[in-house]
Amino acid sequence: MRRLAPVLPLAVLLLLTGCSAEGWHIVNPADSEGWANLRFLLEGAWLTLALSAMALLSGVAIGLGTAALRLSRHRPLRAVAEIYVELVRTLPLFVLLLWVFYALPIMVQGLDREGWGFALVGWIADLTPFTAAVIALALNAGAFLSEIFRAGIEGVPRGQVEAAQSLGMGRWLTLRRIILPQALRRLLPPTVSQFIHTVKDSSLASSIGLAELTRRATELQTQTYRPLELYTLLALEYLIILLLLSRLARWLERRWGAPP
């Protein structure tokens, strides 16, 4: 029964749409128009995965940096990191996405175009939907990954850290050679789980015009007036992607997870 559990949602959705089988011609690969629509949707899946992957990679860098700051001995650095984490984790991702795409460029446009500040961040003045979505998703993922990384780092026995420092290793060298290799076993499974959440959250990027899965399904729906078939197919696409990623997460947890 456990092996059948992942396919049950797919079967239910197919049964629910069985009464309208005549509408599936709009995504029938045997028909030229249906194949064009299906290919249009599948290209959105690749964009969704590319967006999620870039956001997660950026989020990992942000999370590692923020976790290191939160473990710093300097209180101002810890305060900045804690403010970022609490603010981003509290703020709805949809609001953050809208702010990054619509408000952040206006703030940058107000800078002196001859100054060093605009030279550094001037590219933000002309954000594309893809770049804005990567920034918002990365900021969101980084805040949650920061907590994951901090917990993994603090899970390394304190005695090993003290032994490394007694051998003359600095704080950053100890972190890179002693702490992170051991923490990796604890960090990998939850990091993959965060990737799953990022894939889910990427659907919000359709609100700013990014032609990912959800946006493409909506565009086809406005042209064909077949919401049942198109949004069912959209759900199936997400289910397949997320089920595969969930299997990967469970495999990594068995393969690399920390021993009990």
Side-chain angles (χ1 to χ4, degrees):
M1 188 66 182
R2 291 177 59 186
R3 293 183 178 180
L4 294 176
V7 301
L8 287 179
L10 306 180
V12 170
L13 285 174
L14 290 174
L15 287 174
L16 288 176
T17 57
C19 59
S20 61
E22 70 278 1
W24 285 100
H25 69 276
I26 61 173
V27 288
N28 184 1
D31 179 73
S32 59
E33 183 180 358
W35 171 244
N37 292 336
L38 185 60
R39 186 174 58 184
F40 180 73
L41 289 173
L42 293 177
E43 288 173 355
W46 289 113
L47 185 58
T48 291
L49 291 174
L51 169 63
S52 303
M54 291 187 65
L56 184 70
L57 290 175
S58 302
V60 167
I62 295 172
L64 280 174
T66 306
L69 291 179
R70 296 194 72 182
L71 297 172
S72 173
R73 299 173 183 174
H74 304 287
R75 183 171 298 179
L77 296 178
R78 292 202 308 270
V80 170
E82 289 171 1
I83 290 173
Y84 156 72
V85 171
E86 293 301 321
L87 177 64
V88 174
R89 293 183 66 184
T90 303
L91 194 66
L93 176 58
F94 182 60
V95 176
L96 177 62
L97 179 64
L98 294 177
W99 187 87
V100 168
F101 185 63
Y102 292 107
L104 186 58
I106 296 176
M107 294 179 60
V108 174
Q109 290 169 6
L111 297 176
D112 180 12
R113 292 184 175 270
E114 302 298 329
W116 64 269
F118 189 85
L120 186 64
V121 297
W123 58 273
I124 297 178
D126 299 309
L127 279 182
T128 64
F130 183 84
T131 305
V134 169
I135 292 174
L137 289 171
L139 289 173
N140 180 264
F144 287 94
L145 287 171
S146 173
E147 290 295 288
I148 294 173
F149 295 157
R150 185 171 66 91
I153 290 172
E154 290 180 341
V156 176
R158 181 64 185 173
Q160 296 188 25
V161 177
E162 294 175 350
Q165 292 175 346
S166 68
L167 294 175
M169 289 187 181
R171 185 175 181 83
W172 292 104
L173 187 60
T174 302
L175 178 66
R176 182 167 61 89
R177 292 190 176 181
I178 304 298
I179 298 176
L180 287 182
Q182 297 185 65
L184 181 62
R185 298 184 65 185
R186 297 179 175 89
L187 300 179
L188 199 53
T191 300
V192 176
S193 297
Q194 179 59 46
F195 181 56
I196 294 174
H197 287 292
T198 302
V199 173
K200 293 179 181 179
D201 294 337
S202 68
S203 62
L204 295 174
S206 62
S207 63
I208 59 173
L210 184 64
E212 42 72 64
L213 264 176
T214 305
R215 179 78 178 193
R216 289 172 183 250
T218 301
E219 290 178 359
L220 279 180
Q221 190 279 136
T222 58
Q223 298 171 13
T224 62
Y225 301 100
R226 304 301 306 189
L228 180 60
E229 291 80 11
L230 287 171
Y231 287 135
T232 299
L233 182 60
L234 174 66
L236 291 174
E237 288 180 293
Y238 272 112
L239 279 170
I240 292 171
I241 293 172
L242 295 174
L243 285 173
L244 291 175
L245 290 175
S246 297
R247 287 292 183 90
L248 174 62
R250 288 196 292 270
W251 181 82
L252 288 173
E253 188 172 359
R254 292 194 301 267
R255 181 68 176 82
W256 299 103

